[in-house]
Amino acid sequence: MLVKFSRIIYLLLIVFVSSIFIPKYYWMKFEKNIRTPLVYFSPIKNDFLIRNQNNNETFYVDRKGKRYNREDFEILMPLLNYRQLILENKLPDSLNGEPLLMDKIRLNNIMLKVYPDEIDYEPIQLSPMFESKSGRVKLEMPNDYFRITKSFEFIDCETNSIDKKKSLCFTTYLKAKKFSFPAKIIAGNPTTKKAFDEGYFVLDSKNKLFHIKMVKGKPFCVNTTIPDSLDIVYMKIIEMPLKEFYGLVFTKPGDVYLISYENYKLVKLPLNGYDIEKDIFALMGDQFYRTISLIGSKNIRTIVTDRNYSVVDRYEETWKNNYDLTAGVVASYVFPFILKLNDANSSFSNFYFRLSGFRSIMGALILAILTYFILRSRNIPVKKGWFDIVIVLFTGVFGFIAILLVKNVDKNLE
Amino acid sequence: MENVVEVKNLTHYYGNKLVFEDFNFEIKSGRIFGLLGKNGTGKTTTINILNGFLKPTSGQCLMFGENSYKLPPQTKARVGFLIEGHIQYSFMSIKQIEKFYSAFYPKWKKEPYYELMAKLEVTQDQKLSKMSCGQRSQVALGLILAQDPDLLILDDYSMGLDAGYRRLFLDYLIEYAKAESKTIFITSHIIQDLENFLDDCLIIDYRSVLVAMPIKEFQKTFKQYKFHVPNPEFRLSKNNIIKNYEILKDKASVYTFSERPELEAYLNSLSINNSTVEEVPMTLEDAFIGITGKY
Amino acid sequence: MYSALLYKEWLKIRWAFFGMALLSLLALTYIALNLAYYVEFMTAKGFWGNVILLGFPFFSEIEYIPLLSGIVIAIVQFSPEMNLSRLKLTLHLPVEENKLLMQMISFGFMLLILLFVLITLMLWIIVGIYLPVEVVIFVLNSLFPWLMVGLTAYFLTAAIIIEPVWARRLILVPFTLGFLDLFFNAVNPHAQLTVFFIFSGLLTSTLILFSGYHFKRGIK
């Protein structure tokens, strides 16, 4: 009995390890680098330009399929490429009736991306509280880090102990502002490499969002009064001199809001079908438009809005990913499932299962029948060897490898 | 008398190589049983099967009535086992190893062990790995005697031992065997020491059993005769009467279980002059070589 | 009987155990000295920033020590048993064979747990001197899969050594390496994966029974 159990563990070990490594090596050999197209919106043509890559050649097409080279593209996207155009003296003086000034272009240009593994991530829950009005040009790293648990606590780096006075000061202040401890999410930009500091946006235990920072050594705290019904999973704060919005709020159902500087008013982006677990969120902005793309493994959905976030135009494109190509089809016949412990879309290790579906059933069935004959040739009656057949039926080639390598030594295996 | 060991229809292959086929024997309680055979005839294989360290291709081995590869602990406690080469835990000292084993055997008697150890020129804290082969054999023996088993299985006790240690070994075994219903199963390829020791013997050759009988009977009935061969082309063959033979120039030796008249009649039929036939006295070792052959 | 068996196992393992404990101590001392050095030269806040914001791996010296401990203890415990088939002596002891093997492996397991608890506690104390509890938890979370690697490596190495047939040993080796590699590559494992690692790691302890069965049956 015990030995039989031990053999089953051995079989499962082989199945587990091979279901990770065999597909891994298979894909190392056969995976094709499929380039994701990038979608731009030209304020000159008022139309999309799609950047494609083919055999190391980069080119741009519009929706009608007309091709453009890099020089054409730069002319058609003057705000994105203003520095190159200035160098070549090709920047137009005005566009859509507005003058094009270098400082204004720079101020209005936005480029940000949020990857799924950035959302599915858990940093060490300690953050530095910057002095946001130090009177200095450069931000400085403080001598302490804070946590927001049962109270607001500053831990001094030198002594590794709590700065009681400062902690009490912040705790009292936050309590006065009706902050409910502990914090659920603390979002900020813990770096000195930013233009200025807006501190942190903190979701309290009652789903109220607070803006907390330190001004001249004193706590600053504002309840943003955003509705507590939003299922916020992530916030991206970006201190931009444009001061249009503090950052973005991502919710579980896939809505994205901007927290605007105007009374923390939330602006909902007109997105459709954003899967925060799998899609890359990309936001490009300039003086006239906002281009927002959701990039999946085999499609891109782009909307263009004006500066008030009303939709101007939409674009969608799909392509084949590796699983649709020959190697993927072959894999789906051979491997009943593929197991990965690490996934590009998450910063956590976990079981990332990919079932091959219907196609693999036939392969597994053939192998299970083969297993039956192998058992017969080993003189093992089905009554004793049924587990081998079952394991091959469910795990296909992985189980088959296991039973080939680990013989059912004899029919009286205890 | 009760059978301590019963081997029934034992057949074993290593891969495709047949070791023995349809092998049968039993060991009766209180007997000293010798399994004799040249190297490579399957003595250790038999012992391994008997101790449950090898599953035979077919057939059965019973020890105290239990299937040998599923011996319950209390039966294992009744069996003392000397592994070929007197293997023991060499990382232990004389004291440590005694302390270790004593916990496992309810009938443990440490006196015979320490008595034996006292004869060796070693301290009690000496590790087995730092001892000579002969000394280690005494440790292994002492441990088995202290265990006070009902059945002793000794796989090639003589391996690597000089004459003195072999004698010492057997002296202790004889002492031990005197006790009531102690059974000993011994294999060896050095036969001369066993002459006055064994009760029963089983002589095996590659794939077959040559002799299975009490040793006294074997010595009494197995005979060697010499005679002159009539011509250089003279040939003999093995049969019911001639168990083995050697022809060297004009002299022939035959080995037989048959009575002299029967042999003479047979030789007569081969036109051998009976007057040259003479019996040659044999030691046990001579008889062993006689039946197994020199090769 | 169990304590006598443990006595025998202890005689085999003790020096390796002390050796690995010493090696762990050296690695931990090195980490402690390094911590003091970083705090001195990066300043405390600079070092904190590196650790908290950038994930500076200041304790990686300990990473492979549990693995090494598992393998070394399995080797010193089980290779003497296989040398000249001494395992026959052990299996001839009047104890049920599977129980015997599990008792043997339970002892190595207990010693490793002891060693790993010591490593964990010491690392905890060392890190706790300079860094807040969040970082300590982060460090211990990172340490945990490495400790599981140590235990699993012990169980699987034992199964490899006890396996009497070379071809079968060679089959088990790549799967052992692959399995252990997964533990090392698991960053921030989710709770369910951690639970899986614990269970699957502990279950590999039974593989010695399959190897032992081959030995017992003289399967070639």
Side-chain angles (χ1 to χ4, degrees), chain A residues 2-3 5-7 9-10 13-14 16-18 20-21 24 120-122 124-128 141-143 145 147 149 155-160 190 341-342 347-352 401 405-407 409-410 412-414, chain C residues 43-45 48-49 51-53 96 98 127-135 138 156 168 171-172 174-176 178-179 181-182 185-190 192-193 196-197 203-204 206-211 213-214 217 219:
Chain A
L2 271 171
V3 177
F5 178 71
S6 158
R7 178 175 177 269
I9 298 298
Y10 193 178
L13 173 76
I14 293 181
F16 178 71
V17 173
S18 48
I20 290 173
F21 283 94
K24 186 175 161 186
D120 195 17
Y121 176 66
E122 206 179 296
I124 295 177
Q125 294 294 337
L126 289 168
S127 314
M141 218 53 185
N143 280 317
Y145 280 72
R147 63 166 79 103
T149 50
I155 307 115
D156 185 74
C157 301
E158 295 289 343
T159 59
N160 191 21
L341 295 192
N342 295 310
S347 63
F348 293 100
S349 287
N350 202 349
F351 295 105
Y352 297 101
I401 289 169
L405 292 179
V406 185
K407 287 185 186 167
V409 237
D410 66 71
N412 298 317
L413 193 61
E414 287 138 55
Chain C
T43 72
K45 71 172 177 182
W48 279 42
V51 172
I52 295 168
L53 304 174
E96 203 272 314
N98 289 329
V127 177
I129 293 172
Y130 297 98
L131 291 154
V133 62
E134 284 83 353
V135 180
F138 168 76
L156 289 171
R168 284 178 196 276
I171 290 171
L172 195 45
F175 290 100
T176 298
F179 193 53
D181 181 65
L182 296 175
N185 282 325
V187 277
N188 291 327
H190 254 296
Q192 64 213 59
L193 190 62
F196 171 80
F197 278 153
L203 281 175
T204 57
T206 62
L207 284 195
I208 195 174
L209 298 181
F210 196 51
S211 296
Y213 176 81
H214 291 155
R217 289 302 182 82
I219 288 160

Side-chain angles (χ1 to χ4, degrees), chain B residues 61-237:
Chain B
C61 251
L62 299 178
M63 261 215 242
F64 295 105
E66 310 267 4
N67 205 328
S68 74
Y69 69 84
K70 266 193 258 180
L71 288 184
Q74 58 274 30
T75 306
K76 282 201 279 185
R78 295 177 70 187
V79 180
F81 180 30
L82 182 84
I83 299 182
E84 192 173 15
H86 316 282
I87 305 300
Q88 267 302 345
Y89 298 115
S90 56
F91 51 85
M92 289 188 177
S93 70
I94 286 182
K95 230 179 181 165
Q96 288 169 337
I97 203 163
E98 189 275 329
K99 189 178 153 199
F100 168 67
Y101 276 113
S102 66
F104 289 91
Y105 298 102
K107 293 198 290 176
W108 190 261
K109 295 173 185 151
K110 64 177 168 186
E111 296 75 22
Y113 174 76
Y114 281 113
E115 195 184 305
L116 203 55
M117 292 309 103
K119 296 205 163 77
L120 302 177
E121 300 283 312
V122 290
T123 63
Q124 297 206 344
D125 294 315
Q126 194 160 338
K127 281 215 168 58
L128 268 60
S129 56
K130 303 250 164 67
M131 293 183 191
S132 76
C133 186
Q135 289 169 330
R136 277 204 301 272
S137 74
Q138 298 305 297
V139 175
L141 177 68
L143 290 170
I144 290 178
L145 297 181
Q147 182 192 335
D148 193 21
D150 296 328
L151 170 65
L152 249 169
I153 298 180
L154 308 163
D155 190 5
D156 206 352
Y157 79 97
S158 54
M159 191 191 231
L161 298 188
D162 54 33
Y165 273 116
R166 291 206 304 270
R167 184 67 59 81
L168 188 61
F169 208 101
L170 287 181
D171 287 347
Y172 270 91
L173 284 182
I174 290 165
E175 276 301 304
Y176 167 82
K178 275 184 191 157
E180 211 175 324
S181 70
K182 299 290 185 193
T183 312
I184 299 178
F185 179 26
I186 196 162
T187 75
S188 182
H189 59 273
I190 296 180
I191 312 300
Q192 68 213 40
D193 300 343
L194 302 177
E195 190 146 6
N196 296 313
F197 178 68
L198 294 181
D199 294 324
D200 298 303
C201 73
L202 183 75
I203 301 177
I204 56 172
D205 198 4
Y206 307 101
R207 294 182 286 281
S208 62
V209 174
L210 299 172
V211 174
M213 60 182 72
I215 194 92
K216 296 250 157 53
E217 189 185 330
F218 174 58
Q219 282 182 289
K220 215 166 92 189
T221 57
F222 191 61
K223 297 271 164 41
Q224 180 188 12
Y225 295 95
K226 271 189 184 162
F227 54 87
H228 284 284
V229 295
N231 57 66
E233 279 79 46
F234 182 79
R235 291 284 173 273
L236 276 166
S237 61

Side-chain angles (χ1 to χ4, degrees), chain A residues 235-356:
Chain A
M235 286 181 280
K236 174 136 185 132
I237 306 304
I238 5 153
E239 284 98 345
M240 285 184 299
L242 180 63
K243 295 205 172 179
E244 180 193 317
F245 52 86
Y246 292 103
L248 301 105
V249 172
F250 293 77
T251 68
K252 196 154 194 190
D255 292 324
V256 181
Y257 300 86
L258 302 176
I259 314 170
S260 64
Y261 267 79
E262 199 189 324
N263 286 327
Y264 303 102
K265 202 181 80 189
L266 284 187
V267 178
K268 187 176 178 180
L269 297 180
L271 303 176
N272 206 346
Y274 171 34
D275 184 348
I276 56 163
E277 286 176 11
K278 288 182 181 133
D279 295 335
I280 299 166
F281 173 92
L283 186 137
M284 262 187 288
D286 57 36
Q287 217 167 312
F288 305 105
Y289 297 108
R290 297 281 182 261
T291 309
I292 305 158
S293 294
L294 302 173
I295 307 159
S297 74
K298 49 201 277 188
N299 61 43
I300 183 164
R301 287 143 284 153
T302 304
I303 56 166
V304 173
T305 72
D306 58 19
R307 293 290 299 262
N308 296 316
Y309 298 96
S310 322
V311 178
V312 172
D313 206 346
R314 291 172 188 277
Y315 177 79
E316 250 190 83
E317 187 183 331
T318 57
W319 57 88
K320 286 184 172 178
N321 71 7
N322 266 296
Y323 291 109
D324 302 322
L325 301 177
T326 319
V329 174
V330 171
S332 69
Y333 279 108
V334 178
F335 308 128
F337 58 89
I338 290 173
L339 186 57
K340 281 199 260 178
L341 295 192
N342 295 310
D343 187 86
N345 289 336
S346 173
S347 63
F348 293 100
S349 287
N350 202 349
F351 295 105
Y352 297 101
F353 243 116
R354 189 191 160 85
L355 275 171
S356 294

Side-chain angles (χ1 to χ4, degrees), chain A residues 2, chain B residues 73, chain C residues 1-2 5 91 94-106 209:
Chain A
L2 271 171
Chain C
M1 279 192 270
Y2 184 45
L5 188 73
L91 293 180
V95 180
E96 203 272 314
E97 287 97 357
N98 289 329
K99 195 171 152 194
L100 208 56
L101 289 172
M102 288 318 276
Q103 285 176 345
M104 286 169 83
I105 211 155
S106 72
L209 298 181

